[in-house]
Amino acid sequence: MKKEGLHSPTTFVVFDMEWNQPIPYIPSPIDPKLLPGEIIEIGAVKLVMYSESEYTFSQPISITVRPQYYRIMNKQVSRVINKSTDDLKCGMSFIEAYDDFLRWCGEDFILCAWGDSDISILKSNLKIHGLSAEINDRFLDIQPFFGRVAENTTQQRSVAYAVDFYKINQTDDFHSADKDAYYEARILKEALVDYFVLRNREPASDNKNPFPTLKQYISNPNLNTQKKWKSAVCKTEKEALALAVAEKMCCPICDTDLQEVIGWFSSGHTWMSLWQCEQHSTLSAKVRAKQTPQQGYYGAGQLRFVNGNAARYVREKWEEKQKLKEKVKIDTNPPDNEE
Ligand SMILES: [Zn+2]
């Protein structure tokens, strides 16, 4: 595990949360943009990795949180997680619950979840309660990791899909935080086992589609990992795009010039490119033309850190484009001598 920069044993804290949402026809006690969901349950399981093939699981924990803002159960949410407004009167305050959760996590672990929505909901809840939104500095999103390792795909799969894929014995329904965390931890374990088998098999020197390292899937959720920019307003879409892609690309963290990995190319209405910061790994950039109310255009750009899957997506789009170009070349220049 030395190659991965992980020491032994490594603890993965897999967490999952359930949250209630505002009800559209009731005036919200708080701006839903600031609090898109209020946490009502935190579930988690620890997965400890002793070697590439030895793992243990902790008992799942479940902490019920009493919401302060969204105290009437949203019907859509209720259908999924099967809780009523009465259930929302139970549990401890978010501040107490989060404190308990952190104490249970301990020190030195990699925080994991399925997708990135749990992280963003957690951050909004921390902010609303006046706490620092800074969380554990290592985060692994299991969803893209599973996609790459299990199926070599960038498609987003559900937890239920992955449970099925690994034939994990399903004894409970989904959609309670501790059960979901338990299944996600089981999936992570299977994916890690597969990952090490694959990595030991695939030659590392395949430059065209290098097998990602585990580290490429671990990010720091506290860093400002994206940058947005807008070009000046132009008369045509084309001019606006040209201006936007001429922007100098600097790392959002350390501000050094980025190295171009794949230069700007168009894919449908979007222009894409791939970049590298020597210190802070891979970034993708996208630009789209947008219209102003005065019939002008500007280019809107976004530069952000990407995991192995997202980087691969850009690479695949670029390869598609190259193939298309080749095809056009062949079609317009037929070979002069056919045998
Ligand atoms: Zn950097």
Side-chain angles (χ1 to χ4, degrees), residues 6 33 87 100 115 132-133 164 177 238 251 311 314 321:
L6 299 175
K33 278 195 197 108
D87 294 325
D100 268 16
S132 157
D164 218 40
K238 217 176 152 188
C251 173
V314 177
K321 185 96 193 192

Side-chain angles (χ1 to χ4, degrees), residues 6-142:
L6 299 175
H7 49 74
S8 187
T10 299
T11 301
F12 297 89
V13 168
V14 180
F15 85 114
D16 189 277
M17 299 181 313
E18 306 301 342
W19 54 84
N20 193 18
Q21 285 169 12
I23 296 166
Y25 52 84
I26 295 179
S28 177
I30 192 160
D31 182 355
K33 278 195 197 108
L34 296 177
L35 190 67
E38 187 171 20
I39 297 170
I40 54 177
E41 194 188 348
I42 305 174
V45 170
K46 270 182 204 160
L47 170 68
V48 183
M49 172 168 78
Y50 296 93
S51 73
E52 292 180 3
S53 57
E54 285 169 275
Y55 299 83
T56 58
F57 295 93
S58 77
Q59 283 297 321
I61 57 155
S62 165
I63 307 170
T64 306
V65 187
R66 191 177 63 249
Q68 189 181 327
Y69 299 98
Y70 305 148
R71 289 186 287 191
I72 300 168
M73 197 68 217
N74 177 306
K75 269 207 184 113
Q76 250 107 26
V77 178
S78 161
R79 232 170 270 150
V80 178
I81 65 173
N82 212 358
K83 278 194 180 186
S84 66
T85 296
D86 267 350
D87 294 325
L88 300 182
K89 291 172 185 146
C90 311
M92 47 177 109
S93 72
F94 173 76
I95 293 182
E96 288 171 310
Y98 189 63
D99 203 46
D100 268 16
F101 172 64
L102 286 184
R103 232 175 303 139
W104 178 85
C105 288
E107 306 260 313
D108 195 18
F109 58 91
I110 298 169
L111 190 66
C112 310
W114 192 266
D116 52 16
S117 56
D118 291 82
I119 289 279
S120 69
I121 290 287
L122 175 58
K123 287 190 165 212
S124 64
N125 278 256
L126 287 166
K127 280 186 212 154
I128 231 73
H129 287 98
L131 299 174
S132 157
E134 193 146 311
I135 53 177
N136 194 56
D137 62 3
R138 285 184 298 165
F139 172 69
L140 169 74
D141 183 346
I142 308 167

Side-chain angles (χ1 to χ4, degrees), residues 251 253-254 256 277 279-280:
C251 173
I253 301 170
C254 64
T256 55
C277 168
Q279 263 194 70
H280 299 111

